[in-house]
């Protein structure tokens, strides 16, 4: 598999759209098309291998399932993961002749995505730093009463930042990186130590993402029960993710009704007649 200049340019364009204000900011950009799960679909369409793209996106989404940006602090850049990591992982898997739905392909994709995500953090902060220049323009317009020029600050000037630190790096890395990945096919044979190390590390990376997610939402030991039920259903009854999701929805509805019943009961007791012995002054 190779990546042409046109395909690399399209990948760079989507990398720009991931956090641009014209895509409703974080909602549509970063938290939708910027996620590996959606990015895998987009990369599969652009590179002409939909199955492989979705498989790589699913594998990388497990690692970054709990990735958030509190206070603008990021440990990895999902734009780089989705539109640099996934295309390069697709090329690596295709060049090695791996089954797109196999475990080795998923582990290789996760390893490549992790490496690129860390490098992409540099581009993330570079865009944020350059956007400070446009914000200074906006403050001058506010002080001078030229509020009509703020549209350019929000939707115009940031394109320069994204073009320099999102579009160009993505286009160049995917085009030349694909050639480098293909060249490594002979340097790193499948039975070599380097490839076995990548597969081993990639197999453990989803545990990190799930552990971070559990740390955010688990407050007591009993909260583990819903997660264990899901894994048990998938392992023992061989249910797929759709079936497990439907069952989880039923549990969520039941728990919601129970909590609402408790809340209604406590409110009824509070609003009931007072048992105080105090007499009202006449």
């Amino acid at each position: 598999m190779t990546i042409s200049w046109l395909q690399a340019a399209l990948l760079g364009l989507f990398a720009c759209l991931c956090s641009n204000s014209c895509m409703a900011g974080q909602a549509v950009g970063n938290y939708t098309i910027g996620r590996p799960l959606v990015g895998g679909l987009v990369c599969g369409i652009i590179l002409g291998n939909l199955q492989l793209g979705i498989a790589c996106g699913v594998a990388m989404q497990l690692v970054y399932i709990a990735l958030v940006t509190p206070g603008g602090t990021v440990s990895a850049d999902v734009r780089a993961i989705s539109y640099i990591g996934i295309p390069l992982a697709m090329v690596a898997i295709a060049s090695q002749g791996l089954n797109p739905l196999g475990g080795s392909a998923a582990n290789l994709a996760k390893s490549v995505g992790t490496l690129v995500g860390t490098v992409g953090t540099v581009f993330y902060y570079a865009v944020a730093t350059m956007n400070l220049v446009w914000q200074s323009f906006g403050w001058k317009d506010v002080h001078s009463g030229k509020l009509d020029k703020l549209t350019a600050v929000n939707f115009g000037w940031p394109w320069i930042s994204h073009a320099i630190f999102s579009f160009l790096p993505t286009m160049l890395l995917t085009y030349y990186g694909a050639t480098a990945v293909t060249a490594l096919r002979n340097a790193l044979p499948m039975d070599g130590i380097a490839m076995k190390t990548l597969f081993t590390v990639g197999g453990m990376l989803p545990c990190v993402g799930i552990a971070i997610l559990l740390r955010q939402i688990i407050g007591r030991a009993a909260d583990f029960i819903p997660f264990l039920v899901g894994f048990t259903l998938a392992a023992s009854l061989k249910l797929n993710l759709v079936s497990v999701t439907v069952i989880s929805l039923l549990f969520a509805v039941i728990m919601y009704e129970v909590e609402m019943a408790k809340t209604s009961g406590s409110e009824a007791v509070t609003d009931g007649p007072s048992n105080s012995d105090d007499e009202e002054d006449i």
Side-chain angles (χ1 to χ4, degrees):
M1 176 184 289
T2 58
I3 298 179
S4 65
W5 278 113
L6 176 60
Q7 292 171 327
L10 290 175
L11 294 172
L13 176 62
F14 273 92
C16 292
L17 295 177
C18 285
S19 61
N20 203 298
S21 300
C22 67
M23 297 297 293
Q26 299 291 325
V28 177
N30 186 51
Y31 290 107
T32 304
I33 64 175
R35 296 290 129 172
L37 191 61
V38 180
L41 173 64
V42 175
C43 293
I45 295 174
I46 293 176
L47 299 183
N49 194 332
L50 193 60
Q51 183 185 49
L52 181 56
I54 294 176
C56 292
V58 170
M60 293 185 186
Q61 184 67 65
L62 286 175
V63 181
Y64 299 99
I65 191 172
L67 182 64
V68 293
T69 56
T73 302
V74 295
S75 57
D77 185 14
V78 290
R79 292 171 294 178
I81 296 165
S82 297
Y83 297 105
I84 299 177
I86 291 180
L88 294 183
M90 293 173 64
V91 173
I93 293 171
S95 63
Q96 296 289 353
L98 301 176
N99 179 13
L101 303 180
S104 297
N107 294 337
L108 179 58
K110 286 176 280 192
S111 299
V112 174
T114 303
L115 294 173
V116 174
T118 304
V119 174
T121 307
V122 178
F123 302 140
Y124 176 90
Y125 286 116
V127 171
T129 301
M130 192 170 184
N131 282 341
L132 294 177
V133 178
W134 320 131
Q135 291 182 16
S136 65
F137 292 171
W139 281 115
K140 291 180 180 179
D141 294 333
V142 170
H143 292 316
S144 59
K146 301 177 181 178
L147 301 182
D148 56 323
K149 292 187 177 182
L150 293 180
T151 303
V153 176
N154 293 326
F155 301 103
W157 296 114
W159 275 101
I160 300 177
S161 306
H162 289 288
I164 296 175
F165 296 110
S166 291
F167 178 80
L168 288 178
T170 301
M171 182 176 64
L172 295 176
L173 287 175
T174 52
Y175 181 80
Y176 291 107
T179 304
V181 169
T182 304
L184 289 176
R185 176 180 56 187
N186 298 327
L188 301 176
M190 288 293 296
D191 56 351
I193 297 178
M195 293 303 296
K196 290 182 178 180
T197 302
L198 286 176
F199 293 151
T200 302
V201 174
M204 295 186 295
L205 286 175
C207 297
V208 178
I210 295 175
I212 296 174
L213 179 63
L214 291 177
R215 185 176 179 84
Q216 294 177 358
I217 62 179
I218 294 296
R220 52 180 181 171
D223 294 336
F224 280 104
I225 295 178
F227 292 94
L228 297 178
V229 170
F231 284 111
T232 302
L233 292 175
S236 60
L237 300 181
K238 307 302 180 182
L239 298 179
N240 56 30
L241 292 178
V242 177
S243 302
V244 174
T245 302
V246 173
I247 296 175
S248 302
L249 179 61
L250 297 177
F251 276 101
V253 172
I254 293 174
M255 294 177 65
Y256 173 78
E257 294 295 339
V258 171
E259 292 296 328
M260 291 301 296
K262 291 181 179 179
T263 303
S264 300
S266 61
E267 290 179 353
V269 173
T270 303
D271 297 338
S274 176
N275 294 325
S276 176
D277 294 330
D278 295 334
E279 297 181 356
E280 183 180 0
D281 294 335
I282 301 177

